[in-house]
Amino acid sequence: MRSASIPPALCLRTIVLATLAVTLGGCWCDVPDEIRDTPISGTVSGDELEMVRSENPDAPTRCVAACRVALANGGVDPDDDDNNGEYDEFVNCTVQGMEGGPADPWDPAHTEITVSCDGRTVRPGFCTGRRPLGHHELAMRSRSHAQWLRVHAHLERASITAFEQLAVWLANHGAPDELRARCVAAAADEVVHAQLLEGLLRAEGLEPASALVDAGAPEDLLSVAMHNAVEGCVSEAFAATIAAYQSEHADSPELRGVFAQIAQDELRHGQLAWDLHAWFMAQLDEVSQARVRAAQRQAMLALADVAATNAAASPAGVGWPSPELATIMAQSFARGVNAQLDGALRMAG
């Protein structure tokens, strides 16, 4: 299973919480995170062990990769697994080689290793979704609460198509099973999101709009990678920060509850975008990688203006920050992303 070879390119949750700490005066720090560790253990051997050794550069990343393989092979008690195998990170990872073998468990003399770790789930005290390729945006006809709900319910419905498209594309191009499964799960999340917002919309007396997608959307690797790098890694990932803010600042308890439920999923979806980005970049040549990075940098530079524009178009009551605060949040988010990526490049160099 190739998924074990994919290192997380970036930890989105850290960036989201750092942005909130800067812009919200630390109010999130007063609410402790809910942390749950699930024990995972198992043996890894044969081709899977060789893959873990060859495709991960050092002992810590190999250990986590082996832990993911053990998880995929059933190394967790179903009664303990409340997350269907989805965790924010893997911690407390240890590995042992065969008895009597070399001290280094990663020595090729070991044909089997035993790994144990904890799958950690962190739920912070905290909506917009991913647009598919070929998406037609719904116009905001008025700055009203109902019209805002209609546009965002439309985006959530479009996100179902986006993740379904992506899951099919990944299946057709030999992507790791884990990434395809996470896209399928994300599509199911978006069904719930759409239903929640459509329920609120109907309570306002409006019917949802149908999502419209061009049948001829590009499917080449570079186009899909670039779309994910911009729409997923920038727009969708930043939405996790906005959703966190909305879940505290929307006027009604019902709306805050809906955004809180959606926000948890959006954080996972944003992390999925960055994990997909790592895989896409590994498939591209250097020229194409440079094009993707350039598009992503441009989207990051434009994020503050986009956030301010969206804030200005959002009616009172839905919990969006002011244009000024949205600008600060976008700038903080971009700094956090760039700092993590620069650190990853230094380690790789």
Side-chain angles (χ1 to χ4, degrees), residues 92-93 96 280:
N92 305 322
C93 196
Q96 290 183 325
F280 281 131

Coordinates of all heavy atoms in Angstrom, one line a residue, residues 92-93 96 280:
N92 N 4.3 8.8 19.5 CA 4.9 7.8 20.4 C 5.2 6.5 19.6 O 4.9 5.4 20.0 CB 3.8 7.4 21.5 CG 3.4 8.6 22.3 OD1 4.2 9.5 22.6 ND2 2.1 8.6 22.6
C93 N 5.9 6.7 18.4 CA 6.2 5.6 17.5 C 7.5 4.9 17.9 O 8.5 5.6 18.1 CB 6.3 6.2 16.1 SG 6.2 4.9 14.8
Q96 N 10.8 -2.2 16.5 CA 11.8 -3.2 16.9 C 12.1 -4.2 15.7 O 11.2 -4.5 15.0 CB 11.3 -4.1 18.1 CG 11.2 -3.3 19.4 CD 10.8 -4.2 20.5 OE1 10.0 -5.1 20.3 NE2 11.3 -4.0 21.7
F280 N 1.1 14.6 -5.7 CA 1.1 15.2 -7.0 C 2.5 15.7 -7.4 O 3.0 15.4 -8.5 CB 0.2 16.4 -7.1 CG -1.3 16.0 -7.3 CD1 -2.3 16.5 -6.5 CD2 -1.7 15.1 -8.2 CE1 -3.6 16.2 -6.6 CE2 -3.0 14.7 -8.4 CZ -4.0 15.3 -7.6

